[in-house]
Amino acid sequence: MSQDEEMSSANNLPAEQDHGDGELAVKGDNPFADPGLPPHEHRRTDIDEKAANRAERQVAFLFLISMLATIGFIVSYYAIPKSQIVYIFLLGRVSALNFSLGLTLGVALFCIGAGAVQWARTLMSDVETPQERHPIEADKETREFVFEEFKAGAKDSAFGRRKLIRTTMFGALALVPLAGVVLLRDLGPLPGKKLMETNWAAGKRIINHNTGEPLKPSDIQVGSLTFAYPEGLSEEDEQFQEKIAKDALMLIRMRPEDIKDKTELDWSYEGIVAYSKICTHVGCPISLYEQQTHHVLCPCHQSTFDLSDGAKVIFGPAGHPLPQLKIHVGDDGFLAASQGFQEPVGPSYWERP
Amino acid sequence: MAVVVVLLFALAATGGLYAAFAPAKKAQADTSAQSLTVQEGKKLFAVGCASCHGMNGEGSSDGPSLIGVGAAAVDFQVGTGRMPLMQPGPQAPRKKVAYEPAQVKALSAFVASLGAGPAIPSASDYDPAKGDVAAGGELFRTNCAQCHNFVGEGGALTKGKTAPSLKGVSPKHIYEAMETGPQNMPSFGDGTMSDKNRRDVIAYVYSKQGHEASSPGGMTLGGLGPVTEGLFGWIFGLGALIVVAIWIAARTSKVRKS
């Protein structure tokens, strides 16, 4: 008990702290009096040297495991071939290198943390030490001093008297941020008509996305699904992904008598129809094509379009039908676009006609 | 190659039909293996398939015409157990195969004899070892992933239809499915994909879903993307953090005052 009191006074605890038996009794008439801290209780490691030594060994053991795991990490980095696959219970067949790197680094980091926590829990002092709160406001003299200094400074600079300086300074300060505003121009040129146009144009041949070859009508069988991009686009092109995001096309073939929409039939070639692959809802690539129902389904929000009826929306959140590309067969026998898309592909936007 | 096979089947068809329609005496003279297979197939067809597809595969209100679907379509549908159909429904599910391999071959030969169509591919057409996995992955994501998921786990379509998981599907059946477009799947025939394209796709699917598939990054968690990964992170990742936090904040055992 005497050791406990000694500790409390050494830690400068509040005067009204209850040093006694741990009973938090209400003192006097004030029911909200600070009950103070409960009395400090010793841990086994505080009083038993053997227990303390055991705790020390536990902490050291955790740090030692961490060291071994780090060495294991370095060894596995050099020793395990990149392509080796091992079967690990619950994980399945995984890369031996990834697994051992992750495991050893995880153990190394975890053991450092666990050792530190165990150290703090068993050996570091666990006496609670309150820190008094003080009012944030400065005292009266300091405030008066600061105000006087400010007034003296203002007077000294003649800020109030020399109006020209004041006005021009305000002007300069107001203009400086404009430099930053101008830099926002670097966010890029305005989109202009980019959203309205694609690379499809009259006479552009239709290139098979899989083979890179122009498509002939005989390549497209009833029930097949073919993805295509316009002639002139190359997968090696730096902007290929950006361009295909608008130009992506899907071609299917139906029996002409199955096509219900008059325009669709006019824009098709012997039952081959070409539609934009970009969903008109939020622009997902849409190609879950059911060849018996001619429904095409968007994987993102389940918008469903009926390709036999002008790609009309029959389910889901999409706002308008998929744009169709008018196609014909050129003199060379290959399929080609008769004109560009007549409406913007992809999702709606503010200025969309 | 394809031309030769088609020619063979056409010849077989002629022989088979001749055998079928010719008087018995003359048919006995024709004992070539091919026409025997077709005859065998015709018998099996009459028992197992004709109630929906018609006696000569001409189709009925219950089943489509099989003229011109080719041997590959039959080998896929019957070889994966989808046909014969157990009950009407949104689509025919994969189930236990009802016929012996030789019987499947006979049925294929008979249907092929009804009209020219894609033949059963040869082993070199679909050998996964011959394909380029990386190129196949790109093709798979462009052509197949929208329905079958990016590693072939399958997914839902409309009105109870599904794109099935590709787990454990043999390379031959993958090839045949691409070529013939079973049920609501569009076909990816010669005009759409080259032979090399198809081999690459098969190599990719096999590397993800074959019996030696591996996942170098660790647990696949079903290969379903952010949903299962997020759920796992929330439950096990946060769970472990909470356990550690409780351990850090827990009271250390105290000694009783003496």
Side-chain angles (χ1 to χ4, degrees):
Chain A
M1 207 63 222
S2 63
Q3 195 196 356
D4 201 18
E5 271 173 50
E6 200 179 286
M7 263 187 178
S8 301
S9 57
N11 284 308
N12 206 11
L13 290 176
E16 65 269 27
Q17 200 218 343
D18 180 7
H19 284 275
D21 41 22
E23 274 184 32
L24 306 178
V26 175
K27 280 185 180 175
D29 295 332
N30 184 359
F32 302 112
D34 181 2
L37 292 170
H40 179 244
E41 286 175 67
H42 286 298
R43 296 164 300 188
R44 178 176 275 278
T45 48
D46 290 333
I47 54 167
D48 183 354
E49 191 59 28
K50 268 189 188 164
N53 286 340
R54 197 164 54 239
E56 185 186 4
R57 284 195 299 275
Q58 283 169 354
V59 174
F61 179 69
L62 284 167
F63 288 152
L64 196 71
I65 291 182
S66 169
M67 284 187 233
L68 291 176
T70 305
I71 292 167
F73 179 89
I74 296 167
V75 168
S76 36
Y77 180 85
Y78 286 105
I80 301 176
K82 220 190 278 180
S83 54
Q84 192 174 331
I85 298 286
V86 287
Y87 177 80
I88 310 278
F89 178 64
L90 282 182
L91 293 184
R93 290 164 50 81
V94 298
S95 153
L97 181 62
N98 281 352
F99 177 74
S100 48
L101 291 184
L103 185 72
T104 50
L105 193 61
V107 168
L109 291 171
F110 181 80
C111 285
I112 291 177
V117 171
Q118 180 70 358
W119 183 7
R121 283 169 56 85
T122 54
L123 294 171
M124 290 183 193
S125 166
D126 69 338
V127 179
E128 290 184 34
T129 51
Q131 201 170 13
E132 294 288 316
R133 267 195 270 178
H134 301 285
I136 298 166
E137 194 182 39
D139 59 42
K140 200 160 173 273
E141 289 96 69
T142 315
R143 275 187 290 162
E144 271 167 14
F145 174 73
V146 169
F147 286 139
E148 266 163 40
E149 287 285 290
F150 182 80
K151 276 177 198 154
K155 196 173 172 234
D156 197 37
S157 67
F159 184 74
R161 194 158 60 84
R162 298 206 182 271
K163 296 260 164 53
L164 185 62
I165 290 179
R166 194 190 64 182
T167 316
T168 49
M169 187 186 81
F170 282 161
L173 289 178
L175 277 179
V176 153
L178 286 182
V181 173
V182 168
L183 286 182
L184 293 179
R185 182 69 181 76
D186 280 353
L187 289 177
L190 290 169
K193 288 181 89 63
K194 253 191 205 168
L195 291 172
M196 312 229 179
E197 293 160 354
T198 66
N199 291 308
W200 289 104
K204 279 217 178 174
R205 285 196 292 190
I206 297 170
I207 311 293
N208 184 335
H209 197 142
N210 294 331
T211 59
E213 302 291 331
L215 282 160
K216 296 188 296 290
S218 60
D219 289 337
I220 298 170
Q221 301 297 324
V222 173
S224 70
L225 173 65
T226 311
F227 301 117
Y229 55 79
E231 184 181 12
L233 227 63
S234 157
E235 296 220 35
E236 276 75 48
D237 185 353
E238 200 182 319
Q239 266 128 28
F240 178 77
Q241 296 298 341
E242 204 178 302
K243 288 178 179 164
I244 195 76
K246 284 194 301 176
D247 297 348
L249 195 72
M250 57 180 166
L251 291 121
I252 62 156
R253 188 171 200 155
M254 285 176 271
R255 286 192 303 265
E257 61 269 26
D258 285 346
I259 301 179
K260 294 172 205 146
D261 186 88
K262 176 81 174 57
T263 317
E264 181 178 2
L265 189 61
D266 288 346
W267 286 15
S268 67
Y269 177 82
E270 290 179 355
I272 301 173
V273 291
Y275 277 102
S276 165
K277 194 188 170 183
I278 314 299
C279 184
T280 56
H281 176 225
V282 285
C284 292
I286 168 175
S287 46
L288 285 81
Y289 170 59
E290 297 179 354
Q291 58 121 331
Q292 290 172 351
T293 58
H294 303 306
H295 292 175
V296 71
L297 177 68
C298 179
C300 296
H301 306 96
Q302 285 70 50
S303 293
T304 308
F305 301 84
D306 186 355
L307 292 196
S308 64
D309 192 9
K312 204 172 68 183
V313 184
I314 53 172
F315 181 78
H320 45 265
L322 292 172
Q324 191 185 356
L325 187 72
K326 187 178 181 186
I327 54 170
H328 68 277
V329 169
D331 298 335
D332 49 8
F334 291 112
L335 284 168
S338 308
Q339 57 192 22
F341 277 110
Q342 294 301 292
E343 54 181 324
V345 300
S348 294
Y349 53 92
W350 203 266
E351 303 89 346
R352 191 181 192 276
Chain B
M1 184 65 201
V3 177
V4 176
V5 173
V6 168
L7 203 65
L8 269 178
F9 276 122
L11 286 171
T14 322
L17 286 170
Y18 177 76
F21 295 117
K25 266 183 205 166
K26 283 187 180 175
Q28 276 171 353
D30 184 4
T31 53
S32 71
Q34 188 64 51
S35 77
L36 281 179
T37 313
V38 171
Q39 270 184 314
E40 171 75 6
K42 185 174 168 61
K43 282 179 199 155
L44 287 167
F45 190 89
V47 174
C49 319
S51 56
C52 299
H53 292 293
M55 273 312 280
N56 291 303
E58 71 276 13
S60 73
S61 57
D62 295 328
S65 160
L66 300 182
I67 295 165
V69 298
V74 180
D75 190 59
F76 176 84
Q77 300 277 6
V78 181
T80 60
R82 285 178 167 80
M83 291 289 149
L85 197 61
M86 193 156 52
Q87 61 195 24
Q91 71 184 43
R94 197 170 149 195
K95 58 182 190 292
K96 200 168 165 291
V97 182
Y99 292 96
E100 299 293 320
Q103 293 176 315
V104 177
K105 208 173 154 198
L107 276 171
S108 306
F110 170 67
V111 173
S113 74
L114 301 174
I120 296 172
S122 65
S124 66
D125 287 335
Y126 54 77
D127 184 1
K130 287 187 182 156
D132 176 348
V133 175
E138 206 167 304
L139 287 162
F140 190 86
R141 286 186 290 276
T142 305
N143 294 277
C144 324
Q146 65 270 26
C147 299
H148 286 289
N149 154 306
F150 31 86
V151 289
E153 291 289 341
L157 293 170
T158 61
K159 299 192 176 162
K161 295 187 281 283
T162 57
S165 163
L166 303 180
K167 194 168 208 67
V169 182
S170 77
K172 181 174 82 165
H173 289 145
I174 298 175
Y175 186 98
E176 287 167 350
M178 282 194 277
E179 200 170 33
T180 61
Q183 303 183 32
N184 259 302
M185 173 174 159
S187 65
F188 297 89
D190 292 332
T192 308
M193 276 192 173
S194 65
D195 283 343
K196 188 189 170 306
N197 286 157
R198 274 195 289 264
R199 247 196 323 262
D200 291 349
V201 167
I202 288 166
Y204 173 76
V205 174
Y206 197 69
S207 77
K208 291 287 147 208
Q209 297 288 359
H211 63 271
E212 283 194 351
S214 61
S215 165
M219 275 173 107
T220 56
L221 299 172
L224 297 174
V227 175
T228 48
E229 285 163 20
L231 193 68
F232 188 86
W234 273 91
I235 292 174
F236 292 98
L238 282 184
L241 287 181
I242 289 169
V243 168
V244 170
I246 289 172
W247 174 56
I248 290 174
R251 278 169 66 87
T252 337
S253 61
K254 303 289 184 187
V255 181
R256 286 224 168 271
K257 276 172 292 177
S258 51

